[in-house]
Amino acid sequence: DIVMTQTPLSSPVTLGQPASISCRSSQSLVHSDGNTYLSWLQQRPGQPPRLLIYKVSNRFSGVPDRFSGSGAGTEFTLKISRVEAEDVGVYYCTQVTQFPRTFGQGTKLEIK
Amino acid sequence: EVQLVESGGDLVQPGGSLRLSCAASGFTFSNFGMNWVRQAPGKGLEWVSFIGSTSTAIYYADSVRGRFTVSRDNAQNSLFLQINSLRDDDTAVYYCVRLGGGRLDDYWGQGTLVTVSS
């Protein structure tokens, strides 16, 4: 199984400042079709998860452009350019390249 | 508008069974693969199962294989998860998740809570 490791697990951030979350996979997420199926999800308190980024760097519909994804192979990053109060929650990376699907442990973003 | 509405969660004793349902609307259900993902209280996300659009492709997490059975009824726009031999560590909110084109977990239901306790 592919193990997804996120760092940090907790990230206190000042409003208006940037935030960054890293995700590392135990093996390459490049699929045989050439795509890299790495997604980022946001889970606000009391809510189901919501898709933010898919295939490493593509923002899902309605996601603000302050969210961006980057990376390749086994190393990936989610960046928030300027954190807003509504960004508080837990962020997960997940690989959709192969079964079984796996998720990172989650990174809790909180405001200082 | 895409909607996924789970139901069937309940308080069950260890060893018991449940059938979870997910009613889909707002899209052509028969065109999409579907996942079940669960989340134990205060914990992270765990993928449980996937079923392809025609039920030909079915996958399970090792932790549930042999106890859980995923199925779908495309005529009724419904997804199901039959859960048998329930254990304490199956306690979780179970989410129904659409797998969009390009392998996106693009829509999530609100979840249904399964509690296993004596």
Side-chain angles (χ1 to χ4, degrees):
Chain A
D1 298 2
I2 298 176
V3 177
M4 306 296 289
T5 303
Q6 289 181 229
T7 54
L9 298 184
S10 178
S11 180
V13 184
T14 301
L15 287 174
Q17 293 300 302
S20 180
I21 301 170
S22 296
C23 175
R24 173 178 293 176
S25 57
S26 61
Q27 60 191 81
S28 173
L29 298 185
V30 180
H31 191 271
S32 56
D33 66 8
N35 289 302
T36 300
Y37 294 107
L38 184 283
S39 296
W40 289 96
L41 308 170
Q42 175 198 59
Q43 187 173 30
R44 292 170 171 153
Q47 295 293 314
R50 160 200 179 199
L51 179 66
L52 292 178
I53 302 286
Y54 63 96
K55 286 196 289 187
V56 180
S57 60
N58 297 273
R59 268 189 306 277
F60 186 57
S61 174
V63 174
D65 61 6
R66 64 179 182 275
F67 290 94
S68 64
S70 62
T74 63
E75 300 278 348
F76 306 94
T77 303
L78 174 70
K79 291 184 179 177
I80 310 174
S81 59
R82 294 173 304 279
V83 171
E84 298 188 5
E86 66 178 18
D87 299 336
V88 165
V90 181
Y91 292 78
Y92 297 92
C93 61
T94 180
Q95 64 83 15
V96 202
T97 294
Q98 68 176 234
F99 292 102
R101 295 276 313 277
T102 45
F103 293 87
Q105 317 96 300
T107 296
K108 187 173 185 178
L109 185 75
E110 50 197 3
I111 305 300
K112 280 183 184 175
Chain B
E1 178 193 5
V2 171
Q3 285 199 320
L4 299 168
V5 180
E6 302 93 337
S7 61
D10 205 347
L11 171 62
V12 187
Q13 291 189 338
S17 297
L18 273 180
R19 190 188 196 210
L20 306 184
S21 300
C22 172
S25 61
F27 65 102
T28 304
F29 180 69
S30 59
N31 287 348
F32 291 86
M34 300 293 295
N35 286 290
W36 286 100
V37 175
R38 69 183 179 182
Q39 186 171 37
K43 302 297 184 183
L45 301 171
E46 180 187 15
W47 172 77
V48 172
S49 182
F50 168 81
I51 183 168
S53 59
T54 61
S55 303
T56 300
I58 290 178
Y59 300 94
Y60 297 100
D62 287 345
S63 58
V64 308
R65 187 177 293 112
R67 300 187 299 122
F68 289 18
T69 303
V70 64
S71 61
R72 63 190 296 161
D73 183 340
N74 286 344
Q76 297 295 320
N77 294 329
S78 294
L79 174 71
F80 305 102
L81 187 67
Q82 178 68 40
I83 307 177
N84 297 329
S85 305
L86 276 158
R87 311 186 307 215
D88 290 351
D89 61 0
D90 293 320
T91 294
V93 173
Y94 285 74
Y95 294 105
C96 162
V97 187
R98 190 180 86 165
L99 189 68
R103 301 193 179 200
L104 327 177
D105 298 309
D106 56 2
Y107 290 96
W108 294 64
Q110 289 295 314
T112 188
L113 176 62
V114 173
T115 303
V116 183
S117 175
S118 53

